[in-house]
Amino acid sequence: MILLLGLLVILLCFFLRVTYKTISCYWLTPRRIKKVMQKQGVHGPKPRLLVGNLIDVASLVSMATAKDMDSIHHDIVSRLLPHYVLWSKQYGKRFIYWVGNEPRICLTETDVIKELLSSKYTNLCGKSWLQQQNSKHFIGRGLLMANGQDWYRQRHIVAPAFMADKLKSHVGYMVECTKQMLQSLKSKVESGTTEVEIGDYMSQLTADIISRTEFDSSYEKGKRIFDLLTSLQNLCAQSSRRLCLPGSRFFPSKYNREIKALKMEVERLLMEIIQSKKDCAEISRSTSYGNDLLGMLLAETQKKRANGFNFNLQLLMDECKTFFFAGHETTALLLTWTIMLLAINPSWQDKIRAELSQVCNGETPSPEQLSKLTVLNMVINESLRSVGPIPTFCPN
Protein backbone atom coordinates (compact mmCIF):
# COMPACT_ATOMS: atom_id res chain seq x y z
CA MET A 1 0.00 0.00 0.00
CA ILE A 2 2.81 2.40 0.89
CA LEU A 3 4.63 1.48 -2.34
CA LEU A 4 1.50 2.16 -4.38
CA LEU A 5 0.96 5.48 -2.62
CA GLY A 6 4.58 6.48 -3.28
CA LEU A 7 4.20 5.59 -6.95
CA LEU A 8 1.03 7.68 -7.21
CA VAL A 9 2.79 10.64 -5.59
CA ILE A 10 5.69 10.35 -8.10
CA LEU A 11 3.28 10.17 -11.04
CA LEU A 12 1.30 13.12 -9.72
CA CYS A 13 4.47 15.20 -9.28
CA PHE A 14 5.58 14.28 -12.79
CA PHE A 15 2.17 15.19 -14.23
CA LEU A 16 2.11 18.51 -12.40
CA ARG A 17 5.64 19.32 -13.59
CA VAL A 18 4.79 18.55 -17.22
CA THR A 19 1.56 20.56 -16.92
CA TYR A 20 3.39 23.56 -15.47
CA LYS A 21 6.13 23.40 -18.12
CA THR A 22 3.52 23.26 -20.88
CA ILE A 23 1.47 26.15 -19.49
CA SER A 24 4.62 28.18 -18.89
CA CYS A 25 5.95 27.52 -22.40
CA TYR A 26 2.73 28.18 -24.31
CA TRP A 27 0.99 30.76 -22.08
CA LEU A 28 2.88 32.34 -19.18
CA THR A 29 6.23 33.06 -20.89
CA PRO A 30 4.69 34.52 -24.10
CA ARG A 31 2.44 36.78 -21.97
CA ARG A 32 5.43 37.95 -19.93
CA ILE A 33 7.49 38.71 -23.06
CA LYS A 34 4.56 40.51 -24.66
CA LYS A 35 4.12 42.76 -21.62
CA VAL A 36 7.85 43.55 -21.48
CA MET A 37 7.85 44.49 -25.17
CA GLN A 38 4.74 46.66 -24.80
CA LYS A 39 6.38 48.60 -21.95
CA GLN A 40 9.23 49.37 -24.37
CA GLY A 41 6.82 50.53 -27.05
CA VAL A 42 7.16 47.40 -29.23
CA HIS A 43 3.80 46.09 -30.45
CA GLY A 44 2.62 43.65 -33.06
CA PRO A 45 -0.29 41.52 -34.31
CA LYS A 46 -2.21 39.53 -31.71
CA PRO A 47 -0.97 35.91 -31.61
CA ARG A 48 -3.20 32.83 -31.52
CA LEU A 49 -2.66 30.06 -28.98
CA LEU A 50 -0.04 27.48 -30.09
CA VAL A 51 0.31 28.78 -33.67
CA GLY A 52 1.09 32.44 -32.96
CA ASN A 53 0.85 34.44 -36.21
CA LEU A 54 1.69 31.57 -38.58
CA ILE A 55 -1.83 31.49 -40.02
CA ASP A 56 -1.71 35.25 -40.69
CA VAL A 57 1.67 34.95 -42.42
CA ALA A 58 0.50 32.02 -44.56
CA SER A 59 -2.66 33.88 -45.58
CA LEU A 60 -0.79 37.07 -46.53
CA VAL A 61 1.84 35.18 -48.55
CA SER A 62 -0.85 33.13 -50.29
CA MET A 63 -2.71 36.25 -51.38
CA ALA A 64 0.48 38.04 -52.50
CA THR A 65 1.66 35.13 -54.66
CA ALA A 66 -1.74 34.05 -56.02
CA LYS A 67 -1.07 35.71 -59.38
CA ASP A 68 2.00 35.86 -61.59
CA MET A 69 4.05 39.06 -61.61
CA ASP A 70 3.08 41.47 -64.37
CA SER A 71 6.74 42.13 -65.16
CA ILE A 72 10.20 41.33 -63.83
CA HIS A 73 11.34 43.91 -61.32
CA HIS A 74 13.39 44.13 -58.13
CA ASP A 75 10.59 45.22 -55.83
CA ILE A 76 9.77 41.74 -54.54
CA VAL A 77 9.57 42.38 -50.79
CA SER A 78 5.83 43.01 -50.88
CA ARG A 79 5.38 39.75 -52.78
CA LEU A 80 7.62 37.43 -50.77
CA LEU A 81 7.34 39.07 -47.34
CA PRO A 82 3.96 40.84 -47.35
CA HIS A 83 3.58 40.46 -43.56
CA TYR A 84 6.69 42.59 -43.00
CA VAL A 85 5.34 45.32 -45.25
CA LEU A 86 1.88 45.29 -43.64
CA TRP A 87 3.00 45.10 -40.01
CA SER A 88 5.78 47.66 -40.37
CA LYS A 89 3.14 50.13 -41.60
CA GLN A 90 0.81 49.27 -38.73
CA TYR A 91 3.28 48.98 -35.84
CA GLY A 92 6.34 50.95 -36.94
CA LYS A 93 9.97 50.11 -37.64
CA ARG A 94 10.11 47.78 -34.64
CA PHE A 95 7.44 45.17 -34.15
CA ILE A 96 7.05 41.71 -32.69
CA TYR A 97 5.20 38.71 -34.08
CA TRP A 98 5.05 35.06 -33.08
CA VAL A 99 6.02 31.76 -34.68
CA GLY A 100 4.20 29.31 -32.48
CA ASN A 101 5.19 30.26 -28.94
CA GLU A 102 8.45 31.95 -29.96
CA PRO A 103 8.69 35.71 -30.49
CA ARG A 104 10.30 37.26 -33.55
CA ILE A 105 11.42 40.89 -33.37
CA CYS A 106 11.68 42.73 -36.68
CA LEU A 107 14.22 45.56 -36.71
CA THR A 108 14.79 47.89 -39.66
CA GLU A 109 16.91 50.59 -37.98
CA THR A 110 20.54 50.18 -39.03
CA ASP A 111 22.02 51.60 -35.82
CA VAL A 112 19.95 49.30 -33.62
CA ILE A 113 20.88 46.25 -35.72
CA LYS A 114 24.59 47.10 -35.51
CA GLU A 115 24.35 47.50 -31.74
CA LEU A 116 22.47 44.22 -31.37
CA LEU A 117 25.05 42.34 -33.44
CA SER A 118 27.98 43.81 -31.51
CA SER A 119 30.18 41.51 -29.44
CA LYS A 120 28.56 42.30 -26.09
CA TYR A 121 25.23 40.91 -27.34
CA THR A 122 26.54 37.65 -28.83
CA ASN A 123 24.60 35.58 -26.30
CA LEU A 124 21.29 37.20 -27.27
CA CYS A 125 21.35 36.65 -31.02
CA GLY A 126 21.40 33.42 -32.93
CA LYS A 127 19.15 30.58 -33.97
CA SER A 128 16.23 29.95 -31.66
CA TRP A 129 15.22 26.61 -30.18
CA LEU A 130 12.36 26.28 -32.67
CA GLN A 131 14.64 26.97 -35.65
CA GLN A 132 17.12 24.38 -34.38
CA GLN A 133 14.35 21.82 -33.86
CA ASN A 134 12.92 22.38 -37.34
CA SER A 135 16.32 21.80 -38.97
CA LYS A 136 17.89 19.21 -36.67
CA HIS A 137 17.09 16.35 -39.08
CA PHE A 138 18.11 18.47 -42.08
CA ILE A 139 21.47 20.07 -41.19
CA GLY A 140 21.57 19.24 -37.49
CA ARG A 141 23.83 21.41 -35.32
CA GLY A 142 26.16 22.46 -38.11
CA LEU A 143 27.59 25.97 -38.42
CA LEU A 144 24.30 27.53 -39.58
CA MET A 145 22.47 26.35 -36.46
CA ALA A 146 25.23 26.90 -33.90
CA ASN A 147 25.10 29.69 -31.34
CA GLY A 148 27.53 31.51 -29.06
CA GLN A 149 30.86 29.84 -28.37
CA ASP A 150 29.91 26.71 -30.34
CA TRP A 151 29.39 28.88 -33.42
CA TYR A 152 32.76 30.58 -32.85
CA ARG A 153 34.62 27.26 -32.48
CA GLN A 154 32.94 25.63 -35.49
CA ARG A 155 33.60 28.69 -37.64
CA HIS A 156 37.25 28.61 -36.58
CA ILE A 157 37.47 24.95 -37.66
CA VAL A 158 35.99 25.36 -41.15
CA ALA A 159 37.35 28.82 -42.01
CA PRO A 160 40.78 27.62 -43.31
CA ALA A 161 39.06 25.59 -46.05
CA PHE A 162 37.67 28.81 -47.56
CA MET A 163 40.75 31.02 -47.47
CA ALA A 164 41.64 32.78 -50.73
CA ASP A 165 44.75 30.67 -51.36
CA LYS A 166 42.81 27.46 -50.76
CA LEU A 167 40.04 28.51 -53.16
CA LYS A 168 42.59 29.49 -55.82
CA SER A 169 43.97 25.95 -55.76
CA HIS A 170 40.49 24.69 -56.76
CA VAL A 171 40.15 26.92 -59.83
CA GLY A 172 41.08 24.05 -62.15
CA TYR A 173 38.19 21.95 -60.85
CA MET A 174 35.80 24.89 -61.13
CA VAL A 175 36.76 25.53 -64.74
CA GLU A 176 36.48 21.85 -65.64
CA CYS A 177 33.03 21.54 -64.06
CA THR A 178 31.84 24.75 -65.76
CA LYS A 179 33.02 23.55 -69.18
CA GLN A 180 31.16 20.27 -68.70
CA MET A 181 27.99 22.14 -67.76
CA LEU A 182 28.28 24.46 -70.78
CA GLN A 183 28.83 21.50 -73.10
CA SER A 184 25.74 19.80 -71.68
CA LEU A 185 23.72 22.98 -72.15
CA LYS A 186 25.05 23.41 -75.70
CA SER A 187 24.09 19.84 -76.60
CA LYS A 188 20.60 20.43 -75.26
CA VAL A 189 20.15 23.53 -77.43
CA GLU A 190 21.61 21.85 -80.51
CA SER A 191 19.14 18.99 -80.11
CA GLY A 192 16.33 21.45 -80.83
CA THR A 193 15.28 22.35 -77.29
CA THR A 194 14.15 25.98 -77.17
CA GLU A 195 13.55 26.25 -73.43
CA VAL A 196 15.67 24.97 -70.53
CA GLU A 197 15.48 25.32 -66.77
CA ILE A 198 18.72 27.20 -66.15
CA GLY A 199 18.36 26.85 -62.38
CA ASP A 200 18.80 23.07 -62.67
CA TYR A 201 22.06 23.55 -64.57
CA MET A 202 23.37 26.00 -61.98
CA SER A 203 22.47 23.60 -59.15
CA GLN A 204 24.25 20.78 -60.95
CA LEU A 205 27.31 22.95 -61.50
CA THR A 206 27.67 24.16 -57.91
CA ALA A 207 26.92 20.71 -56.52
CA ASP A 208 29.61 19.19 -58.73
CA ILE A 209 32.19 21.81 -57.71
CA ILE A 210 31.53 21.37 -53.99
CA SER A 211 31.55 17.58 -54.26
CA ARG A 212 34.90 17.55 -56.03
CA THR A 213 36.73 20.33 -54.22
CA GLU A 214 35.52 20.07 -50.63
CA PHE A 215 34.63 16.39 -50.29
CA ASP A 216 36.67 14.67 -53.01
CA SER A 217 33.57 12.91 -54.25
CA SER A 218 32.17 12.61 -57.75
CA TYR A 219 28.94 14.37 -58.61
CA GLU A 220 27.23 11.00 -59.20
CA LYS A 221 27.68 10.13 -55.53
CA GLY A 222 26.99 13.65 -54.30
CA LYS A 223 23.82 14.01 -56.38
CA ARG A 224 22.06 11.33 -54.33
CA ILE A 225 22.92 13.24 -51.15
CA PHE A 226 21.70 16.53 -52.66
CA ASP A 227 18.41 14.96 -53.74
CA LEU A 228 17.84 13.46 -50.30
CA LEU A 229 18.71 16.73 -48.57
CA THR A 230 16.29 18.59 -50.85
CA SER A 231 13.50 16.20 -49.85
CA LEU A 232 14.51 16.57 -46.21
CA GLN A 233 14.44 20.36 -46.49
CA ASN A 234 10.93 20.30 -47.96
CA LEU A 235 9.67 18.04 -45.18
CA CYS A 236 11.37 20.01 -42.42
CA ALA A 237 9.99 23.27 -43.86
CA GLN A 238 6.48 21.87 -43.46
CA SER A 239 6.99 21.69 -39.69
CA SER A 240 6.94 25.50 -39.51
CA ARG A 241 3.46 25.46 -41.05
CA ARG A 242 2.08 22.68 -38.88
CA LEU A 243 0.22 22.88 -35.58
CA CYS A 244 2.98 21.60 -33.32
CA LEU A 245 1.47 20.05 -30.19
CA PRO A 246 3.79 19.46 -27.23
CA GLY A 247 5.73 16.23 -27.77
CA SER A 248 4.35 15.68 -31.30
CA ARG A 249 7.85 15.33 -32.72
CA PHE A 250 8.17 12.04 -30.83
CA PHE A 251 5.02 10.51 -32.33
CA PRO A 252 5.71 7.72 -34.90
CA SER A 253 3.59 9.45 -37.56
CA LYS A 254 4.11 8.98 -41.30
CA TYR A 255 5.61 12.48 -41.47
CA ASN A 256 8.15 11.75 -38.71
CA ARG A 257 8.99 8.31 -40.16
CA GLU A 258 9.73 9.83 -43.58
CA ILE A 259 12.06 12.41 -42.05
CA LYS A 260 13.88 9.77 -40.01
CA ALA A 261 14.30 7.45 -43.02
CA LEU A 262 15.71 10.25 -45.20
CA LYS A 263 18.08 11.37 -42.46
CA MET A 264 19.40 7.84 -41.96
CA GLU A 265 19.99 7.43 -45.71
CA VAL A 266 21.85 10.76 -45.95
CA GLU A 267 24.08 9.85 -43.03
CA ARG A 268 24.71 6.38 -44.46
CA LEU A 269 25.98 7.91 -47.72
CA LEU A 270 28.07 10.45 -45.81
CA MET A 271 29.59 7.64 -43.74
CA GLU A 272 30.60 5.89 -46.97
CA ILE A 273 32.48 9.02 -48.07
CA ILE A 274 34.03 9.45 -44.62
CA GLN A 275 35.08 5.81 -44.39
CA SER A 276 36.58 5.99 -47.87
CA LYS A 277 38.67 8.98 -46.74
CA LYS A 278 39.81 7.06 -43.65
CA ASP A 279 40.70 3.97 -45.69
CA CYS A 280 42.83 6.02 -48.08
CA ALA A 281 44.75 7.47 -45.12
CA GLU A 282 45.32 3.99 -43.65
CA ILE A 283 46.47 2.49 -46.95
CA SER A 284 48.99 5.27 -47.46
CA ARG A 285 49.92 5.07 -43.75
CA SER A 286 49.45 8.79 -43.43
CA THR A 287 48.29 10.74 -40.39
CA SER A 288 46.73 13.36 -42.69
CA TYR A 289 43.27 13.00 -44.21
CA GLY A 290 43.99 15.59 -46.91
CA ASN A 291 43.63 19.36 -47.06
CA ASP A 292 40.04 19.52 -48.31
CA LEU A 293 37.16 20.40 -45.98
CA LEU A 294 36.28 16.80 -45.15
CA GLY A 295 39.92 15.97 -44.40
CA MET A 296 40.21 18.96 -42.08
CA LEU A 297 36.99 18.02 -40.28
CA LEU A 298 38.16 14.42 -39.86
CA ALA A 299 41.40 15.64 -38.34
CA GLU A 300 39.39 17.69 -35.82
CA THR A 301 37.57 14.58 -34.57
CA GLN A 302 40.91 13.13 -33.48
CA LYS A 303 41.76 16.08 -31.25
CA LYS A 304 41.02 16.02 -27.54
CA ARG A 305 39.67 19.28 -26.18
CA ALA A 306 39.77 20.53 -22.62
CA ASN A 307 37.15 23.25 -23.03
CA GLY A 308 34.14 20.92 -23.20
CA PHE A 309 33.62 21.32 -26.96
CA ASN A 310 33.49 17.88 -28.56
CA PHE A 311 33.77 17.76 -32.34
CA ASN A 312 32.40 14.24 -32.76
CA LEU A 313 31.33 12.19 -35.76
CA GLN A 314 27.71 13.42 -35.62
CA LEU A 315 28.81 17.05 -35.68
CA LEU A 316 31.16 16.24 -38.56
CA MET A 317 28.23 14.84 -40.57
CA ASP A 318 26.11 17.88 -39.66
CA GLU A 319 28.84 20.17 -41.02
CA CYS A 320 29.02 18.06 -44.18
CA LYS A 321 25.26 18.34 -44.67
CA THR A 322 25.43 22.09 -44.08
CA PHE A 323 28.08 22.69 -46.75
CA PHE A 324 26.78 20.02 -49.10
CA PHE A 325 23.39 21.68 -49.35
CA ALA A 326 23.49 25.26 -48.07
CA GLY A 327 26.77 26.04 -49.83
CA HIS A 328 25.68 24.85 -53.23
CA GLU A 329 22.10 26.14 -53.06
CA THR A 330 22.94 29.76 -52.24
CA THR A 331 25.57 29.95 -54.99
CA ALA A 332 23.24 28.32 -57.52
CA LEU A 333 20.47 30.82 -56.73
CA LEU A 334 22.86 33.76 -57.09
CA LEU A 335 24.10 32.47 -60.46
CA THR A 336 20.54 31.91 -61.67
CA TRP A 337 19.49 35.40 -60.56
CA THR A 338 22.55 36.95 -62.28
CA ILE A 339 21.79 35.14 -65.54
CA MET A 340 18.18 36.33 -65.36
CA LEU A 341 19.35 39.94 -64.92
CA LEU A 342 21.70 39.62 -67.89
CA ALA A 343 18.94 38.03 -69.99
CA ILE A 344 16.69 41.08 -69.56
CA ASN A 345 19.60 43.50 -70.08
CA PRO A 346 21.36 42.40 -73.33
CA SER A 347 23.51 45.53 -73.44
CA TRP A 348 25.31 44.41 -70.28
CA GLN A 349 26.02 41.05 -71.92
CA ASP A 350 27.87 42.90 -74.66
CA LYS A 351 29.85 44.91 -72.07
CA ILE A 352 30.93 41.77 -70.21
CA ARG A 353 31.91 39.95 -73.40
CA ALA A 354 33.99 42.96 -74.53
CA GLU A 355 35.72 43.13 -71.13
CA LEU A 356 36.48 39.40 -71.11
CA SER A 357 37.92 39.64 -74.60
CA GLN A 358 40.13 42.56 -73.59
CA VAL A 359 41.36 41.19 -70.24
CA CYS A 360 41.56 37.46 -70.99
CA ASN A 361 42.24 37.45 -74.75
CA GLY A 362 39.89 34.54 -75.27
CA GLU A 363 41.50 32.40 -72.56
CA THR A 364 39.94 31.09 -69.36
CA PRO A 365 40.10 33.81 -66.66
CA SER A 366 42.76 33.22 -64.00
CA PRO A 367 42.35 34.14 -60.31
CA GLU A 368 44.70 37.09 -60.80
CA GLN A 369 42.50 38.50 -63.60
CA LEU A 370 39.25 38.44 -61.61
CA SER A 371 39.93 41.79 -59.93
CA LYS A 372 40.43 43.37 -63.37
CA LEU A 373 36.94 42.36 -64.54
CA THR A 374 35.27 45.49 -63.17
CA VAL A 375 32.08 45.25 -65.23
CA LEU A 376 31.52 41.60 -64.28
CA ASN A 377 32.14 42.37 -60.61
CA MET A 378 29.67 45.25 -60.85
CA VAL A 379 27.00 42.90 -62.21
CA ILE A 380 27.64 40.38 -59.43
CA ASN A 381 27.44 43.10 -56.77
CA GLU A 382 24.15 44.29 -58.27
CA SER A 383 22.84 40.73 -58.14
CA LEU A 384 23.77 40.49 -54.46
CA ARG A 385 22.19 43.86 -53.75
CA SER A 386 18.93 43.17 -55.54
CA VAL A 387 18.33 39.68 -54.16
CA GLY A 388 15.29 39.69 -51.88
CA PRO A 389 15.93 40.05 -48.12
CA ILE A 390 16.26 37.01 -45.89
CA PRO A 391 14.85 37.57 -42.41
CA THR A 392 17.19 37.06 -39.48
CA PHE A 393 15.49 36.41 -36.19
CA CYS A 394 16.50 36.98 -32.59
CA PRO A 395 14.94 34.82 -29.90
CA ASN A 396 13.73 36.08 -26.58
Side-chain angles (χ1 to χ4, degrees):
M1 186 67 180
I2 296 176
L3 182 62
L4 180 60
L5 183 61
L7 182 60
L8 288 174
V9 171
I10 293 174
L11 290 175
L12 180 60
C13 291
F14 177 77
F15 175 76
L16 291 175
R17 179 179 175 81
V18 171
T19 302
Y20 173 76
K21 288 283 187 181
T22 302
I23 294 175
S24 177
C25 178
Y26 288 93
W27 179 252
L28 298 178
T29 300
R31 280 176 60 87
R32 176 179 59 82
I33 295 173
K34 188 176 180 181
K35 288 181 179 180
V36 171
M37 291 292 102
Q38 287 176 345
K39 288 181 180 179
Q40 299 179 38
V42 180
H43 303 275
K46 183 179 180 180
R48 293 181 173 91
L49 185 64
L50 295 181
V51 297
N53 299 113
L54 283 175
I55 295 177
D56 302 320
V57 172
S59 177
L60 290 168
V61 172
S62 178
M63 288 189 294
T65 58
K67 298 180 180 180
D68 293 337
M69 297 175 66
D70 296 331
S71 60
I72 298 176
H73 54 83
H74 294 175
D75 184 19
I76 59 175
V77 179
S78 59
R79 180 177 177 85
L80 299 182
L81 304 172
H83 47 292
Y84 281 96
V85 176
L86 175 63
W87 291 335
S88 62
K89 291 179 180 179
Q90 291 180 344
Y91 305 106
K93 293 184 177 181
R94 302 182 199 177
F95 64 86
I96 183 172
Y97 72 102
W98 297 77
V99 177
N101 66 312
E102 284 193 351
R104 298 289 186 263
I105 299 177
C106 179
L107 301 174
T108 57
E109 299 145 299
T110 306
D111 294 339
V112 176
I113 294 173
K114 286 181 178 179
E115 182 182 359
L116 187 63
L117 296 178
S118 64
S119 58
K120 65 178 180 178
Y121 293 112
T122 52
N123 292 329
L124 297 179
C125 293
K127 300 302 184 293
S128 71
W129 179 86
L130 186 60
Q131 288 174 296
Q132 291 177 332
Q133 285 297 120
N134 289 342
S135 64
K136 71 176 184 178
H137 295 301
F138 174 40
I139 54 178
R141 292 301 179 91
L143 184 62
L144 290 181
M145 286 296 130
N147 287 329
Q149 288 299 312
D150 285 348
W151 174 85
Y152 176 80
R153 296 186 185 107
Q154 288 171 232
R155 185 176 181 274
H156 181 73
I157 289 171
V158 303
F162 299 95
M163 295 295 185
D165 292 340
K166 179 73 69 175
L167 294 176
K168 286 181 181 179
S169 67
H170 296 324
V171 167
Y173 281 119
M174 298 178 187
V175 171
E176 180 184 348
C177 294
T178 304
K179 287 182 177 179
Q180 291 176 0
M181 183 276 296
L182 290 174
Q183 183 58 46
S184 175
L185 186 58
K186 182 180 179 181
S187 299
K188 193 79 172 178
V189 173
E190 290 177 347
S191 67
T193 302
T194 57
E195 185 175 322
V196 295
E197 180 55 62
I198 198 65
D200 292 342
Y201 283 88
M202 295 301 103
S203 293
Q204 177 179 331
L205 171 62
T206 55
D208 200 359
I209 290 174
I210 290 179
S211 294
R212 294 190 185 188
T213 60
E214 301 303 337
F215 300 97
D216 195 23
S217 173
S218 65
Y219 175 71
E220 287 72 21
K221 177 157 246 177
K223 186 177 186 303
R224 177 59 178 161
I225 296 177
F226 289 125
D227 291 341
L228 289 170
L229 285 175
T230 301
S231 300
L232 252 181
Q233 183 199 34
N234 293 333
L235 283 174
C236 291
Q238 293 177 20
S239 63
S240 63
R241 301 190 294 269
R242 289 169 173 260
L243 177 60
C244 184
L245 298 174
S248 61
R249 65 183 186 277
F250 300 112
F251 295 161
S253 62
K254 180 181 178 182
Y255 170 76
N256 288 335
R257 291 199 305 271
E258 287 179 357
I259 287 181
K260 186 177 180 180
L262 287 172
K263 178 189 175 184
M264 291 177 62
E265 180 64 12
V266 168
E267 294 189 349
R268 184 188 68 80
L269 292 172
L270 285 173
M271 278 303 302
E272 288 183 3
I273 298 175
I274 292 169
Q275 191 59 48
S276 175
K277 177 75 76 171
K278 288 183 176 180
D279 292 342
C280 289
E282 291 178 3
I283 292 173
S284 61
R285 296 182 179 180
S286 172
T287 57
S288 172
Y289 295 106
N291 60 357
D292 58 3
L293 178 61
L294 180 56
M296 295 170 61
L297 294 178
L298 270 172
E300 289 294 328
T301 63
Q302 308 302 315
K303 296 181 180 179
K304 295 182 179 180
R305 303 178 183 277
N307 54 15
F309 179 71
N310 182 24
F311 194 84
N312 53 30
L313 186 60
Q314 183 59 55
L315 189 52
L316 183 151
M317 288 193 290
D318 289 345
E319 295 290 12
C320 286
K321 287 185 283 186
T322 296
F323 287 99
F324 247 122
F325 187 82
H328 108 276
E329 184 190 39
T330 52
T331 308
L333 289 173
L334 177 61
L335 287 171
T336 304
W337 180 255
T338 304
I339 291 173
M340 189 277 290
L341 292 179
L342 288 172
I344 61 177
N345 294 279
S347 61
W348 282 93
Q349 296 181 40
D350 297 334
K351 292 178 182 179
I352 292 176
R353 290 192 181 98
E355 182 180 64
L356 287 171
S357 177
Q358 179 182 358
V359 175
C360 305
N361 295 319
E363 300 294 329
T364 302
S366 66
E368 292 73 21
Q369 292 173 325
L370 293 180
S371 61
K372 301 177 182 179
L373 300 173
T374 55
V375 177
L376 181 60
N377 287 322
M378 188 185 305
V379 170
I380 294 175
N381 289 334
E382 173 62 18
S383 297
L384 288 168
R385 186 198 66 79
S386 60
V387 165
I390 299 175
T392 301
F393 303 126
C394 290
N396 56 306

